[in-house]
Amino acid sequence: MVPHIPQPDAADIQTNGHLRLRNLVKAYPNSSGPAVDDVSLTIDHGRLVTILGPSGCGKTTTLRVIAGLEEPTGGSVLLDGKDITQVPASKRPMAIVFQNYALFPHLTVFENIEYGLRTKKGRGAMAKDAAAVAAASMNLAGFEDRMPGQLSGGQQQRVALARAMVLRPKVMLLDEPLSNLDAKLREQMRHEIKDLQRKLGTTTVYVTHDQAEAMSLSDTIVIMNRGRIVQVAPPADIYLRPANAFVADFIGRASLVSVQATVQGSGTRTTARIRPFGEELTVAAHPSVSGQHQGVLMLRPEAVFVSESTSSSDGIVISSMYFGGAAEYRVDTAIGVVLVSVPRPDPGTLLPAGTRVNLSITAPLAYLLPG
């Protein structure tokens, strides 16, 4: 079944590209396996979709095939129902923003922004007006006559985004666009990209290895591993209901511990009774688990509550870290090491390593995966 990313309300978007990838394969000579392996995906127009995964998972190759920069070994790319697999990159109604910005160093900011329009037949006359609007929308007013070498990394990224958006593409492609920026500027640019995408309503495919970018930007996240799609879902579902242990471990932080469970129900109503620290709990479970099951319990750090023990204990604190807004503990238990995050901690009462503690679980934030 092809994962389908739902369409937003018509009132919230402009008419843009409906993108479909059908059984895409991309293999390179002398490689141990295909970089992209039977990838099928449907993206309705106006959505911002992030392809996320570890290095070498095939996410950038997939983006380059969509852009026409790589020819697939098999499968097809369809835009608005038309097969564009053999259409050259220069003829596709798409714009791409690269990790290194790819600005022309000998052109000014304004000339970089209007360059794409000037190369399109019949658009030269409107290039200056459109470029001026794009520059203003990216807060580049006053920088139009500067050269790229005179700009900061964030300003260069704004120029690259303005140059792409001025073309009014049906599909915007972004390949790790913020990886060269510092943490504070990355956060600022995430907000700007999201606001820009919402304003234009452009179908956007965003490739990153940064989980924070994916979680904060996306309507939908596509998780890839070893060339294949592992899960397609909104950020909250990816975080709270991962498809498997790989996704649970890759997204955010999680403790994955082995537990014995009694499973009931089926499909999205599957639940499991577990007793990880002496107290019986009922938690949501993956639809593939059933009966008496040795499963993997996923615990997000904020799902576990810790308290110092005065008698018997569930575990011993291995380490504690203070981050201002939260404290984090690693606790050694009979079922494995468990991460615990405590919000708004009192720095004077942090539990030191060696402290015996009891643990309790917030059941709605736990999830049982197949063993």
Side-chain angles (χ1 to χ4, degrees), residues 31-363:
S31 63
S32 58
V36 177
D37 188 5
D38 196 28
V39 165
S40 294
L41 182 69
T42 298
I43 304 174
D44 283 329
H45 56 95
R47 307 301 281 175
L48 195 161
V49 177
T50 297
I51 304 178
L52 177 68
S55 297
C57 72
K59 56 187 184 293
T60 293
T61 303
T62 301
L63 190 82
R64 290 177 63 83
V65 170
I66 295 172
L69 301 174
E70 296 274 2
E71 184 176 349
T73 309
S76 54
V77 178
L78 290 86
L79 183 61
D80 294 332
K82 297 180 180 179
D83 191 330
I84 62 168
T85 312
Q86 301 303 318
V87 175
S90 61
K91 301 295 184 183
R92 299 189 184 192
M94 300 179 179
I96 186 166
V97 178
F98 294 99
Q99 178 179 346
N100 63 357
Y101 317 139
L103 301 179
F104 298 111
H106 61 289
L107 300 180
T108 66
V109 166
F110 194 86
E111 290 167 341
N112 264 283
I113 294 172
E114 70 172 346
Y115 179 83
L117 280 179
R118 286 199 169 276
T119 60
K120 290 186 177 292
K121 187 176 181 180
R123 291 194 179 182
M126 61 178 285
K128 288 191 180 298
D129 289 342
V133 171
S137 69
M138 293 307 298
N139 299 316
L140 290 167
F143 294 88
E144 293 91 342
D145 294 329
R146 294 193 186 184
M147 308 302 287
Q150 298 174 302
L151 304 178
S152 68
Q155 289 164 345
Q156 290 183 46
Q157 186 58 277
R158 288 189 179 94
V159 176
L161 287 166
R163 185 177 61 184
M165 80 177 206
V166 77
L167 299 174
R168 302 293 293 183
K170 285 193 172 185
V171 179
M172 182 91 81
L173 307 171
L174 297 100
D175 184 15
E176 306 255 16
L178 308 183
S179 60
N180 291 332
L181 306 180
D182 62 59
K184 187 173 183 178
L185 191 52
R186 278 203 306 271
E187 182 177 355
Q188 178 184 339
M189 289 301 298
R190 285 202 296 265
H191 288 290
E192 293 187 7
I193 289 173
K194 188 166 187 174
D195 290 345
L196 177 66
Q197 194 273 337
R198 291 289 184 270
K199 179 180 178 181
L200 297 178
T202 306
T203 303
T204 302
V205 182
Y206 189 109
V207 162
T208 184
H209 65 276
D210 188 306
Q211 300 166 23
E213 284 180 22
M215 294 293 289
S216 61
L217 280 171
S218 312
D219 296 315
T220 300
I221 298 176
V222 178
I223 302 289
M224 290 188 69
N225 189 35
R226 298 180 180 180
R228 287 181 170 267
I229 289 177
V230 180
Q231 186 172 5
V232 178
D237 288 351
I238 293 281
Y239 188 77
L240 295 173
R241 298 292 182 263
N244 53 33
F246 166 79
V247 177
D249 189 49
F250 184 75
I251 290 289
R253 294 171 302 141
S255 305
L256 300 173
V257 295
S258 181
V259 294
Q260 188 66 33
T262 301
V263 182
Q264 298 176 320
S266 61
T268 58
R269 297 179 180 272
T270 305
T271 61
R273 293 202 312 274
I274 58 173
R275 192 182 289 270
F277 303 119
E279 178 186 4
E280 183 171 276
L281 299 171
T282 298
V283 300
H286 193 279
S288 67
V289 300
S290 61
Q292 294 289 330
H293 190 85
Q294 187 73 24
V296 174
L297 180 64
M298 181 201 74
L299 296 172
R300 296 296 183 188
E302 63 272 20
V304 187
F305 179 78
V306 62
S307 60
E308 188 170 1
S309 174
T310 56
S311 55
S312 61
S313 63
D314 297 321
I316 299 174
V317 174
I318 301 172
S319 64
S320 62
M321 295 185 180
Y322 178 68
F323 298 101
E328 182 174 294
Y329 299 103
R330 293 176 68 243
V331 181
D332 188 19
T333 76
I335 59 175
V337 175
V338 175
L339 297 175
V340 184
S341 180
V342 179
R344 301 177 299 280
D346 180 351
T349 61
L350 293 181
L351 302 174
T355 304
R356 293 187 173 275
V357 294
N358 288 323
L359 302 177
S360 59
I361 296 171
T362 303

